Amino acid sequence: MNIFVVVLQSVLALIGIGILGFWILKRGIIPEHVIVFLSRLAIDIALPCVVFAGIMLNFEPKKMPDWWQLPLWWAAFECVAFTLVLVAKLISQKETRGEFALSLFFQNGFFFPLIVISGLFGPSSPYVVQLFIFIIFFPVLFFATVHLFFKKSEGTTRKVNMTRVVNPVLVATGLAVSMRLMGLEAYIPRFVTTMLTMLGGMTLPLLMIILGGSLYIEFQKKGRIYSGEILKFILVKNFLFPLAFIGLLILVHPSYNIALILFLESAVPPITGAPVHTEREGGNAAIVNQFILASFVVSIVSIPLMFTLFSKAFPLP
């Protein structure tokens, strides 16, 4: 099947679940306050389960000797992304420059790459495990630095929440990798990994329902539409970022697995938790929600299109 169509179907699956979440909240099937509970359930329980089970079942260090390089590639990716953000934010209006930069820098680095990789190579692909290891420190970076994108208000103090920095996903990834390296996976009963896999299976649909529901809540109080800023953001986030990384990947030409993950990280929409943290820091959460919604909608076309360009330089193995 054509690569564009396969990737398109994967993206549409995620977007479709998000639309379902929007509809569920609109119809009042679940109350708005339940979204907070569902978010904790997905992020603190389901997501660590799918990461732990995936690594325990599919990570084979002997077949993947360069696995330890993945976090280093992630660090390189973030350095390049931050440089691009510093340049790109200059085109945004001064009043919301922090929101613009935040939404550009922190990508939805788990769910969109996961669904695309699973669609192309299957849910048990070694690329899935490599994705888990690649982004092991991403939540740490997000929770430790998100406040730096906004000016500190007079008389307020900022305190990094260490329970979010040392988060369940980080612990689950580190524990699972360590156990596989020590050969302890044989001591984990099969029913445990089966149970964790089943729990983890609700991660993607649950989080996309939460995203759709959250967008509905914000849609009710959307206020001003920042059409000019949205157009700038889409141009940079959905098109210029992946194009820049495709160019860099052609120059560096890493192995396919590294190139695939780096490209996907550059092409996906912003992280869904950005509006909540923007509001906590006194920023403009409305424009961040508009950035996310617009980027998600445009990604239906932009991700398959960019992936098609990527595959010209890096054909499927």
Side-chain angles (χ1 to χ4, degrees), residues 92-292:
S92 66
Q93 62 183 26
K94 188 176 181 180
E95 294 76 12
T96 55
R97 192 162 288 172
E99 290 85 346
F100 193 91
L102 169 71
S103 304
L104 283 178
F105 185 60
F106 292 114
Q107 76 280 9
N108 197 309
F110 183 90
F111 305 109
F112 270 82
L114 176 61
I115 197 69
V116 172
I117 290 173
S118 298
L120 285 170
F121 305 102
S124 300
S125 167
Y127 299 143
V128 172
V129 173
Q130 292 175 43
L131 173 66
F132 295 160
I133 298 174
F134 178 86
I135 62 170
I136 182 174
F137 296 116
F138 177 79
V140 176
L141 177 69
F142 178 73
F143 290 112
T145 65
V146 64
H147 63 278
L148 299 177
F149 287 82
F150 304 96
K151 293 181 179 180
K152 181 181 176 182
S153 302
E154 293 185 11
T156 61
T157 57
R158 285 173 170 168
K159 185 178 180 181
V160 177
N161 187 346
M162 293 306 298
T163 61
R164 304 312 300 166
V165 173
V166 185
N167 56 83
V169 176
L170 174 66
V171 174
T173 307
L175 180 62
V177 169
S178 299
M179 292 181 69
R180 286 292 307 199
L181 291 174
M182 292 185 289
L184 299 179
E185 68 278 1
Y187 297 96
I188 302 295
R190 184 69 181 182
F191 81 89
V192 173
T193 53
T194 300
M195 177 187 70
L196 295 178
T197 301
M198 293 173 67
L199 284 171
M202 68 179 176
T203 307
L204 275 174
L206 189 55
L207 278 168
M208 291 308 298
I209 287 174
I210 292 166
L211 171 64
S214 299
L215 289 175
Y216 171 73
I217 294 171
E218 294 300 326
F219 181 78
Q220 292 179 300
K221 50 182 179 180
K222 59 183 182 300
R224 173 188 170 190
I225 303 296
Y226 297 83
S227 55
E229 292 301 296
I230 291 172
L231 288 174
K232 296 175 191 175
F233 184 83
I234 290 173
L235 176 64
V236 176
K237 183 64 175 172
N238 290 64
F239 296 99
L240 295 184
F241 257 49
L243 286 173
F245 271 93
I246 288 174
L248 288 172
L249 290 171
I250 291 173
L251 289 175
V252 178
H253 216 279
S255 58
Y256 182 83
N257 60 321
I258 298 296
L260 173 69
I261 295 174
L262 289 173
F263 162 73
L264 288 174
E265 294 292 323
S266 73
V268 296
I271 187 171
T272 55
V276 174
H277 291 274
T278 298
E279 189 170 20
R280 287 177 182 172
E281 299 299 331
N284 188 339
I287 193 172
V288 175
N289 270 298
Q290 291 174 31
F291 287 155
I292 293 175

